[in-house]
């Protein structure tokens, strides 16, 4: 089975010589991201925790974005989505992304609503 | 003429035999299984998010819960779980190296990398077992009030203090009720090492101690502290001593936090466990040469997809349980 691998990541900014080399390169990249996450989690810089953007701490935005970046490289390079036909890639990724985004949106808005009722409503009860 | 028809039929668009997505049936189905499993996990993590948003101003702070590293004493949040994350990512790398070796039909290399992947999975599972054990047996202990809220004890520096370190000497000599000591058909679970009375008396004897409530200060994002002289109001409401965690109560705060921890990391751990089992089966298949005879190592690629997915889920669990 002669498999063709696309060996460029970061939109062609880095191109590897072989698939094995690409795997190690992606590992280094993922390790750096995890290292940054852990360092930020331990230091918790004041600037990032006291300021928020769209009702969420900037630090949490950074964590979530870095997580999505990690997820992208695991799926694209380790799971070889980069080498699959776009039809397969889209049928898996778009379906999943849409449903997960929808579900999270509904559940988080609802959770926030329950919190507000708890805090500001006259009626208090265990949900 | 008929033979000609048959020939054109197998190549026609609607007669089967096509692979429009360029993937075999098995691989495609693995992808769709992964997608549905991702939805299951997102349902769990979404439910966690719902409850967390509901109790946004009293949810436990992860740094104060997961503070330990095996064999080392002290306060080291995050390091151990970062190590676990790295182990899982690394086992993903050995898995993808096995898949790559499979494409080049190098049997020995595939087997070697599969073995490394299995070892990585076992290290992860062992780490998770340690984490669970530590979570269940607890560290400092706390008391629960009548309304179900958890109150912890901290010293003047704001560090949590272990109940046994300040609790007063035993006053009542109540012993665990076992079937040999009382009614032969009645027994109870082990009593906590200190009673509620001991804890309250000990607290009164140590003026440097403070209470730490579940409530989070909206400005400082830290748990609210109650000074020693204001503590009576809370101690009067005390119901029981809580050490460690179970599904009903835990010393870290909200019961739901413990429940979600057990359920989500448990469900993920179960995925890792079944992943290891499947990897072992495929490993032996590689060893006995099943795929060599078959002429391709696609099966390794398929279990590889599953294994990477387990890694992918952990990345999210890591973020939402330990970081955010």
């Amino acid at each position: 089975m002669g498999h063709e691998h696309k060996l460029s990541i970061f939109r062609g900014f880095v191109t590897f010589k072989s698939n094995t080399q690409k795997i190690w390169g992606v590992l280094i990249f993922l390790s750096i991201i995890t290292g940054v996450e852990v360092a930020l989690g331990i230091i918790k810089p004041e600037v990032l925790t006291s300021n928020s953007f769209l009702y969420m701490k900037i630090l949490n935005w950074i964590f979530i974005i870095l997580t999505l970046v990690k997820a992208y490289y695991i799926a694209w390079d380790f799971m070889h989505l980069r080498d699959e036909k776009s039809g397969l890639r889209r049928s898996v990724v778009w379906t999943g992304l849409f449903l997960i985004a929808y579900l999270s949106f509904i559940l988080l808005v609802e959770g926030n609503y329950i919190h507000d009722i708890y805090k500001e409503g006259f009626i208090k009860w265990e949900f | 003429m008929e033979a000609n028809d048959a020939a054109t039929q197998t190549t026609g668009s609607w007669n089967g035999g096509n692979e429009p997505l360029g993937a075999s049936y098995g691989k495609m189905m693995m992808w769709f299984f992964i997608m549905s499993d991702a939805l299951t996990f997102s349902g769990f993590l979404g439910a966690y998010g719902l409850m967390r948003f509901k109790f946004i101003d009293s949810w436990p702070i992860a740094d104060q819960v997961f503070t330990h590293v095996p064999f080392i004493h002290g306060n080291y949040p995050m390091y151990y779980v970062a190590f676990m994350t790295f182990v899982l990512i690394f086992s993903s790398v050995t898995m993808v190296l096995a898949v790559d070796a499979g494409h080049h039909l190098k049997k020995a290399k595939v087997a070697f990398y599969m073995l490394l992947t299995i070892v990585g999975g076992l290290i992860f599972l062992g780490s998770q077992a340690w984490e669970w054990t530590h979570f269940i047996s607890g560290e400092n202990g706390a008391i629960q009030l009548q309304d179900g809220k958890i109150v912890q004890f901290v010293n003047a520096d704001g560090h949590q203090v272990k109940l046994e370190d300040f609790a007063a000497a035993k006053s009542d000599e109540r012993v665990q009720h076992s079937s040999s000591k009382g009614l032969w058909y009645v027994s109870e679970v082990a009593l906590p090492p200190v009673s509620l009375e001991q804890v309250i008396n000990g607290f009164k004897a140590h003026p440097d101690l403070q209470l730490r409530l579940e409530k989070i200060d909206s400005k400082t994002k830290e748990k609210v502290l109650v000074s020693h002289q204001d503590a009576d109001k809370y101690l009067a409401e005390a119901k029981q001593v809580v050490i460690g965690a179970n599904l009903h109560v835990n010393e870290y705060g909200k019961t739901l936090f413990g429940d979600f921890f057990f359920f989500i990391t448990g469900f993920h751990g179960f995925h890792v466990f079944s992943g290891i089992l499947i990897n072992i089966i495929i490993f032996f298949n590689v060893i006995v040469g099943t795929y060599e005879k078959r002429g391709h190592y696609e099966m390794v690629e398929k279990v590889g997809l599953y294994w990477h997915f387990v890694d992918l889920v952990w990345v999210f669990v890591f973020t939402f349980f330990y970081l955010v």
Side-chain angles (χ1 to χ4, degrees), chain B residues 206-220:
Chain B
H206 291 79
D208 57 321
L209 291 181
Q210 296 173 292
L211 297 184
R212 186 161 79 189
L213 305 183
E214 280 186 17
K215 198 165 173 46
I216 295 175
D217 190 303
S218 58
K219 284 213 180 65
T220 60

Side-chain angles (χ1 to χ4, degrees), chain B residues 169-191:
Chain B
K170 244 190 178 131
S171 52
D172 56 335
E173 280 301 312
R174 181 157 129 50
V175 291
Q176 185 184 354
H177 186 170
S178 62
S179 54
S180 62
K181 288 186 184 122
L183 295 172
W184 58 270
Y185 52 86
V186 178
S187 59
E188 66 178 358
V189 295
L191 295 171

